[in-house]
Amino acid sequence: MHRSRLYGIFIDTPAGEADAAITFWAAALGGSSRQVPGEPAFTQITGAVPGLAVDVQSIGDQARYHVDIETDDVEAEAARLLRLGAVLVTDHGGHKILRAPGGHLLCVVPVQSAEHFFAIEAEVWP
């Protein structure tokens, strides 16, 4: 058995437009922006959606959105999603990038939330 939950929505933005996107999304969602420590490509929009990370990610590609699913077992969660029809894009060892049916990207990552919050909110999978 393992547990997982939707951790966050990421607004992937071409690097040259990231500052404008950060300003826009913080104002649009009624939050404030905060650089994620140790992650220069990520700026968190705090206070936007309670219980859900919303970040602008500066990327070297076209604009898109992706979601992160956090889990206490990356291998088991990725396998579950692959059985549901996702395909593996990249295996980074500690996390995996998948493409869901329909073409959307999602990342399967280790638990990012506080453990007590994860324990309450996560789904349990056989």
Side-chain angles (χ1 to χ4, degrees), residues 11-126:
I11 304 162
D12 299 335
T13 305
E17 300 173 42
D19 288 342
I22 292 162
T23 300
F24 173 83
W25 286 108
L29 298 175
S32 58
S33 63
R34 179 179 75 81
Q35 185 68 46
V36 176
E39 299 281 351
F42 293 88
T43 302
Q44 185 177 34
I45 308 301
T46 60
V49 182
L52 195 63
V54 177
D55 289 28
V56 173
Q57 180 180 0
S58 175
I59 61 170
D61 202 352
Q62 64 185 15
R64 61 183 180 238
Y65 299 94
H66 83 269
V67 299
D68 276 13
I69 295 176
E70 65 178 345
T71 180
D72 56 7
D73 187 334
V74 171
E75 292 297 327
E77 180 64 5
R80 184 181 78 83
L81 296 170
L82 292 169
R83 285 191 304 273
L84 293 174
V87 295
L88 179 66
V89 174
T90 308
D91 185 340
H92 289 285
H95 75 280
K96 298 181 186 304
I97 301 172
L98 307 178
R99 190 170 304 279
H104 297 93
L105 292 176
L106 64 125
C107 295
V108 179
V109 301
V111 175
Q112 306 291 304
S113 300
E115 180 57 38
H116 70 278
F117 183 77
F118 180 79
I120 293 168
E121 294 293 320
E123 293 286 334
V124 178
W125 306 103

